[in-house]
Amino acid sequence: MADAAIQQKQFLSDKVERFTESVIREMTRQAMLYGAVNLAQGFPDFPAPADIKRAAQEAVANDINQYAITWGARNLRQAIARQTEVWQGISADPETEITVCCGSTECMISTLLAVCNAGDEVVIFEPFYENYGPDAILSGAKPRFVKLRPPSMADGEWTFDERELRAAFHNQTKAIILNTPNNPTGKVFTRAELELIRDLCVEFNVLAITDEIYEHILYDGTKHISIASLEGMRERTVTINGVSKTYSVTGWRVGWTIAPFAITNAIRKVHDFLTVGAPAPLQEAGAAALGLASEYYQKLAHGYRARRDRLMPALAEAGFKCFRPRGAYYVMTDISGFGFADDLAFTRYLVKEIGVAAVPGSSFYNDPRDGARQVRFAFCKRDETLDEAGKRLRRLPSRI
Ligand code: GLN
């Protein structure tokens, strides 16, 4: 058997040898295997809004069951254009500037495939959502990492060094990937930070590819700013978003890109041959979701703030040092206090012996050693789930 596996390896591409399957999604499988509480993968375990589930059911019943237009159902693109104007003041032409894909995940890979040539460099803040690494490899781009440094005080912010960022830009730089509100740190980039990034993009003629999937999940009075809304950026930004996190429907796989006409054209070509289109009835339901009243979004953020404030004390009590997130629904923690060899040994122990699944920090870093003292917990879960996790975590032996 082992011989057969070696034999089969010769058929594989060099690219796939350079990355593994997602650790985040592997942790969900382990949670199921060991009956652990899953605070690893970021998906809600509570119901999606009834109205939008009804819209999905009606779409199927009304026979919206064939392919939508490849770039997305027209009414969904119109709803995206309308809401992007309302929320971010960005106007986009639904006919020429918006492309609906199978989740933000496909948006990101389609964009990179559409813009990168072999050897192009892409700047990525680190720690980063793990998809960006394989995305860069698959598109032939060379990632160039810039560190986000954890706050020194529990209540501080993750920051980057301006000189380090500047040093990452040069004439091979094609794009910068930005994720705000950020997964896994919970950082919400400030206007001043975005302006700095904008200035570098303009100076070095670089594209910004911005993943804004947590747009509405904000705490402590932070505001989300789309870099495309900054002067000089609309024509050099691909803005990525989707229904997954805002409407608690991560399995629907409906996301979108907003980009200037020529870039949209290129993204549409890649998208067409990758997946043809996102699920048609769920695009209809997505259009309905984008029509929800503004109270919905306030409640969403409020609900997540309450969940954050429920999980963080439980983590602190169990011996974790927590970095308070300002947005998105993850808490990055420091596990130094437990005295484990590294994050992998720790999360293995956690899922098997304690019954809680979390994501090892190394999966968010290029060099695993940089994440060896960090572990991420997702709190997009029901109170009962968070409380059960808290109860189990109290069994963790604190070694110092
Ligand atoms: N963004 C989610 C996370 O970080 C996972 C998304 C996915 O698995 N596609 O956990």
Side-chain angles (χ1 to χ4, degrees):
M1 196 59 199
D3 283 353
I6 292 166
Q7 172 77 11
Q8 286 153 20
K9 267 201 150 190
Q10 65 182 322
F11 297 118
L12 304 183
S13 85
D14 295 342
K15 281 180 180 168
V16 297
E17 300 279 25
R18 290 173 50 206
F19 58 92
T20 64
E21 273 196 70
S22 154
V23 177
I24 295 175
R25 296 180 275 282
E26 164 62 17
M27 289 314 295
T28 288
R29 292 190 289 273
Q30 287 204 19
M32 290 162 90
L33 182 67
Y34 296 112
V37 178
N38 188 357
L39 302 190
Q41 196 178 5
F43 61 87
D45 71 345
F46 46 84
D51 288 353
I52 75 167
K53 289 193 286 196
R54 208 169 308 113
Q57 286 162 342
E58 279 167 16
V60 172
N62 291 337
D63 254 321
I64 303 183
N65 295 313
Q66 309 309 325
Y67 305 119
I69 294 174
T70 304
W71 339 305
R74 190 174 212 181
N75 58 345
L76 174 57
R77 281 181 286 113
Q78 286 171 341
I80 294 164
R82 185 191 67 229
Q83 291 311 120
T84 306
E85 175 88 56
V86 171
W87 291 324
Q88 292 302 326
I90 298 168
S91 64
D93 180 350
E95 292 311 311
T96 58
E97 297 186 305
I98 296 177
T99 309
V100 176
C101 295
C102 293
S104 293
T105 296
E106 197 220 341
C107 293
M108 184 58 77
I109 185 82
S110 290
T111 301
L112 288 169
L113 287 169
V115 304
C116 288
N117 290 310
D120 283 351
E121 289 197 7
V122 174
V123 177
I124 302 176
F125 285 106
E126 181 181 59
F128 55 89
Y129 173 48
E130 63 173 356
N131 279 38
Y132 306 153
D135 284 348
I137 294 169
L138 288 170
S139 64
K142 202 166 149 244
R144 180 120 182 186
F145 299 99
V146 173
K147 284 267 180 315
L148 290 175
R149 294 180 202 286
S152 45
M153 284 176 317
D155 223 26
E157 311 295 334
W158 291 72
T159 50
F160 58 86
D161 183 299
E162 191 178 329
R163 281 159 310 180
E164 190 187 333
L165 181 65
R166 169 165 275 280
F169 279 71
H170 54 98
N171 57 12
Q172 294 297 311
T173 312
K174 175 57 73 70
I176 178 167
I177 295 178
L178 197 65
N179 173 214
T180 182
N182 185 260
N183 174 10
T185 64
K187 176 179 175 63
V188 178
F189 282 72
T190 64
R191 181 173 291 277
E193 288 171 332
L194 294 172
E195 284 176 352
L196 193 87
I197 296 166
R198 184 263 316 270
D199 293 347
L200 288 168
C201 286
V202 171
E203 182 181 336
F204 290 88
N205 196 23
V206 162
L207 183 73
I209 306 172
T210 160
D211 175 350
E212 304 185 3
I213 195 80
Y214 302 99
E215 171 175 10
H216 297 284
I217 304 176
L218 298 164
Y219 318 111
D220 308 333
T222 48
K223 265 187 73 110
H224 169 68
I225 300 165
S226 278
I227 199 166
S229 70
L230 267 48
E231 206 193 321
M233 286 308 287
R234 178 68 176 84
E235 61 267 33
R236 56 172 67 256
T237 303
V238 179
T239 306
I240 294 175
N241 213 323
V243 298
S244 293
K245 315 292 188 186
T246 305
Y247 305 106
S248 308
V249 287
T250 60
W252 282 14
R253 315 314 300 133
V254 176
W256 54 84
T257 63
I258 301 176
F261 171 71
I263 299 171
T264 291
N265 253 348
I267 294 170
R268 286 179 176 183
K269 285 199 276 184
V270 176
H271 159 70
D272 190 7
F273 291 104
L274 272 183
T275 63
V276 179
L282 302 179
Q283 294 193 45
E284 292 305 314
L290 283 154
L292 289 178
S294 60
E295 299 83 74
Y296 171 79
Y297 303 93
Q298 284 155 23
K299 270 202 196 140
L300 180 83
H302 196 268
Y304 277 124
R305 199 202 60 209
R307 293 181 188 97
R308 178 194 70 173
D309 295 346
R310 198 174 190 100
L311 182 64
M312 282 184 60
L315 289 172
E317 197 187 316
F320 294 86
K321 181 178 159 202
C322 297
F323 303 116
R324 180 182 297 277
R326 305 294 183 194
Y329 50 47
Y330 309 98
V331 192
M332 198 60 146
T333 65
D334 184 302
I335 56 163
S336 305
F338 297 104
F340 276 73
D342 61 20
D343 59 321
L344 292 176
F346 183 81
T347 49
R348 217 174 292 129
Y349 177 82
L350 204 65
V351 71
K352 269 197 190 166
E353 308 298 333
I354 302 293
V356 176
V359 180
S362 55
S363 51
F364 304 103
Y365 289 88
N366 183 46
D367 181 342
R369 284 170 300 188
D370 290 338
R373 318 249 41 95
Q374 292 175 357
V375 165
R376 189 198 78 173
F377 291 87
F379 55 83
C380 43
K381 308 291 171 182
R382 287 172 292 139
D383 286 353
E384 303 87 274
T385 311
L386 298 174
D387 290 348
E388 179 60 29
K391 205 171 94 196
R392 294 182 183 198
L393 288 169
R394 279 199 290 276
R395 299 205 295 260
L396 258 173
S398 190
R399 303 213 185 158
I400 56 169

